Amino acid sequence: MRSYIISFAKTKCIVLLLLLLLSLASVAHGSPTTTDATNRYITIPMTQWTELTTELTALNQDLLQCKNDMTKLRKPSAELLSQLETAEKKLLQLQKELQLQKKDLTQLSSEAAELKTLSGTLKQQIDKERRVRRRQLWQNRIWCLFGGVAIGYACSR
């Protein structure tokens, strides 16, 4: 009978040790995290998601085209450079926020529309500056032609 009591005590100790180990393991691995550390998800229709991502990629292409156009200009104005930089920063911010899904979809789409108008005005200003530079180039050529004609006329007398 004594061996039965000893084995019961041994099993009781083993069970207590297992429970202690299980409780420590559950505290170490299964502790609840704070709400700030957990990911927050929003649910949106897939069509809106694809529409927003395609719009952002199109805006990215527009900004790259504007950047290429500005590099072709000899001396772009500081205002155009600053507008391009702000547009690029805003686009990067929108892409990051879209990936992190921190903002509401309507706010993101309104900011994307704002960015679209900003890139449109930037394109218009680049075209305007290109026309002004082209006009100045033609004016310089005409003045050189008139100067050459005047010098030639003066020399021939």
Side-chain angles (χ1 to χ4, degrees):
M1 183 84 173
R2 184 167 160 86
S3 66
Y4 176 73
I5 293 173
I6 293 173
S7 67
F8 179 71
K10 285 181 183 179
T11 55
K12 196 161 74 170
C13 286
I14 291 172
V15 168
L16 284 175
L17 283 174
L18 285 175
L19 286 175
L20 181 64
L21 286 174
L22 285 174
S23 65
L24 287 175
S26 67
V27 168
H29 293 291
S31 63
T33 58
T34 61
T35 57
D36 293 336
T38 60
N39 291 335
R40 292 183 284 168
Y41 295 100
I42 59 171
T43 56
I44 59 171
M46 195 63 174
T47 56
Q48 286 180 336
W49 175 264
T50 55
E51 181 180 305
L52 191 58
T53 53
T54 55
E55 188 174 334
L56 286 179
T57 54
L59 287 172
N60 192 14
Q61 292 297 325
D62 286 346
L63 285 179
L64 285 175
Q65 182 65 33
C66 288
K67 195 174 197 177
N68 287 339
D69 290 344
M70 286 184 64
T71 55
K72 290 178 184 175
L73 293 174
R74 289 185 184 177
K75 294 180 184 176
S77 64
E79 180 183 345
L80 286 177
L81 290 173
S82 66
Q83 285 181 355
L84 180 66
E85 286 178 18
T86 56
E88 285 177 340
K89 286 178 185 177
K90 195 165 199 165
L91 179 65
L92 287 174
Q93 179 185 8
L94 281 175
Q95 287 174 339
K96 285 178 184 176
E97 288 174 356
L98 181 65
Q99 292 300 322
L100 297 176
Q101 300 176 356
K102 286 188 176 179
K103 287 198 170 190
D104 191 28
L105 180 64
T106 57
Q107 188 175 5
L108 267 175
S109 60
S110 68
E111 287 184 12
E114 180 184 325
L115 183 62
K116 194 174 192 176
T117 57
L118 180 64
S119 68
T121 56
L122 186 62
K123 281 182 182 179
Q124 289 174 351
Q125 288 180 347
I126 287 172
D127 288 340
K128 182 180 177 182
E129 190 163 322
R130 187 180 293 141
R131 285 191 305 257
V132 166
R133 299 241 186 231
R134 197 177 301 141
R135 187 185 61 209
Q136 287 175 349
L137 181 68
W138 278 104
Q139 285 176 351
N140 289 342
R141 287 177 183 169
I142 288 173
W143 283 113
C144 286
L145 179 69
F146 285 150
V149 169
I151 290 172
Y153 182 72
C155 288
S156 67
R157 284 189 151 201

